[in-house]
Amino acid sequence: QVQLVESGGGRVQAGGSLRLSCAASGRAFSNYGMGWFRQAPGKERERVAYISWSGSITHYADSVKGRFAISRDNAKNTVYLQMNNLKPEDTAVYYCAALNRATMTPSGSWGQGTQVTVSS
């Protein structure tokens, strides 16, 4: 499996921006699609965005479409989530996950999470 470590979370006012990073180590990073998920208190974990192993395919939840952008740098074994025009409802713990390359479903490797708090 691949080991994942997120960074870049924090507190920001509504309308602000944050960039999350997820650094991978272990098995070949390019074997995996990658996804960002989030979980707010009292809510189920939801998928925010995913990107294919090559970076050619991306997909976003409707709630973040047009505001968030996922990207990856396979040379650096890192996936990013650029979050713009943040809203209080974006407040959650954000997790990155390695995805099965064919099905784009979680492979079992998750990061520890990074807190994002958006104040109004």
Side-chain angles (χ1 to χ4, degrees):
Q1 288 192 338
V2 62
Q3 289 76 47
L4 304 171
V5 178
E6 302 99 335
S7 62
R11 180 182 294 272
V12 65
Q13 289 191 330
S17 298
L18 284 173
R19 188 193 196 202
L20 305 184
S21 298
C22 173
S25 61
R27 296 189 63 181
F29 180 64
S30 60
N31 283 347
Y32 297 93
M34 294 297 298
W36 285 98
F37 295 73
R38 68 185 181 186
Q39 188 166 19
K43 295 188 176 181
E44 293 189 354
R45 188 172 297 188
E46 63 170 342
R47 188 178 66 192
V48 174
Y50 71 73
I51 187 167
S52 63
W53 68 272
S54 65
S56 62
I57 299 171
T58 58
H59 184 272
Y60 299 92
D62 288 344
S63 57
V64 306
K65 201 171 292 184
R67 300 188 297 122
F68 290 13
I70 188 170
S71 61
R72 66 189 295 163
D73 186 337
N74 285 347
K76 295 183 178 180
N77 287 357
T78 303
V79 62
Y80 306 96
L81 186 68
Q82 177 67 44
M83 305 186 295
N84 299 325
N85 190 21
L86 282 160
K87 303 176 180 181
E89 52 264 42
D90 295 318
T91 295
V93 178
Y94 284 72
Y95 301 88
C96 66
L99 307 179
N100 180 286
R101 180 167 165 163
T103 64
M104 300 303 281
T105 55
S107 68
S109 295
W110 294 85
Q112 82 287 354
T114 186
Q115 177 71 47
V116 171
T117 302
V118 184
S119 57
S120 57

